[in-house]
Amino acid sequence: MSRIGKAPIEIPAGVTVKVDNNTITVKGPKGELSQTINPDLTVTIEDGLLTVSRPSDDREHRAQHGLYRALIHNMVVGVSTGYRKEMELVGVGYRANATGQVLELSLGYSHAIYIKLPPEIKVETKSERNKNPLIILESDDKQLLGQVCAKIRSLRKPEPYKGKGIKFVGEIIRRKSGKSASAK
């Protein structure tokens, strides 16, 4: 069996999981999420534990067993505690400003970049003196949060020579040395 797929998911207090045919709906204090799964897989809930099982050891069933178990686990964690990502803008003159669901970024281009964020994501920006500006994103949907972070990061990826760009807090950028003087 899949090591990830056979691990049971503990359902915390305040979270309800409903299974209708091949749609799983998870509701908790942070929100509500639903996911359609492969109809071949069976989901059972007993004593506050959710388990996903597969009908056979086919390659496709094995792959989907772990996948859907991980997706359901991410939904349960998302509606109970939520997810949070912090991004740092490294560079002279790089700024971020959030007004409502619109994020304004100044990244050294000739114009400002405006990004309209989905309503499921809460955004906050911090700008302190002598520190890099921060963008803090929170959501109950891990997939959506990762997608939005990837989109923001793609606007100015960290480059290896000076380390300038948008990076996650705590991320280590592999640095390269620049041109070295030729020895004669």
Side-chain angles (χ1 to χ4, degrees), residues 32-175:
E32 180 179 346
L33 296 170
S34 63
Q35 174 73 43
T36 305
I37 66 167
N38 187 336
D40 294 344
L41 300 176
T42 57
V43 177
T44 56
I45 302 168
E46 293 175 355
D47 302 328
L49 291 176
L50 186 141
T51 54
V52 180
S53 56
R54 62 178 186 239
S56 68
D57 278 342
D58 290 347
R59 185 181 177 100
E60 189 174 330
H61 286 152
R62 284 184 306 184
Q64 291 180 349
H65 187 212
L67 167 76
Y68 286 118
R69 187 263 175 209
L71 291 176
I72 295 168
H73 180 262
N74 290 344
M75 289 193 313
V76 169
V77 172
V79 298
S80 60
T81 58
Y83 291 100
R84 175 186 174 105
K85 293 272 189 180
E86 294 184 7
M87 302 180 88
E88 185 176 13
L89 280 68
V90 181
V92 177
Y94 287 12
R95 285 189 296 274
N97 189 17
T99 51
Q101 290 301 105
V102 177
L103 182 64
E104 178 188 355
L105 297 171
S106 181
L107 300 173
Y109 295 117
S110 61
H111 58 282
I113 299 169
Y114 296 93
I115 301 172
K116 183 159 177 22
L117 299 172
E120 296 89 7
I121 292 186
K122 295 182 191 98
V123 64
E124 179 187 341
T125 56
K126 286 186 182 176
S127 296
E128 294 180 23
R129 194 171 177 87
N130 295 330
K131 287 189 179 177
N132 292 327
L134 289 176
I135 303 170
I136 301 164
L137 300 165
E138 293 183 40
S139 179
D140 58 348
D141 192 346
K142 188 175 185 179
Q143 284 179 307
L144 181 65
L145 184 64
Q147 210 170 5
V148 169
C149 287
K151 175 67 178 165
I152 292 171
R153 184 184 160 103
S154 73
L155 298 172
R156 185 69 95 172
K157 285 188 180 167
E159 53 96 20
Y161 296 102
K162 291 183 179 177
K164 290 169 52 173
I166 302 173
K167 67 180 191 105
F168 293 104
V169 172
E171 180 182 8
I172 297 168
I173 306 298
R174 279 187 59 195
R175 303 290 297 268

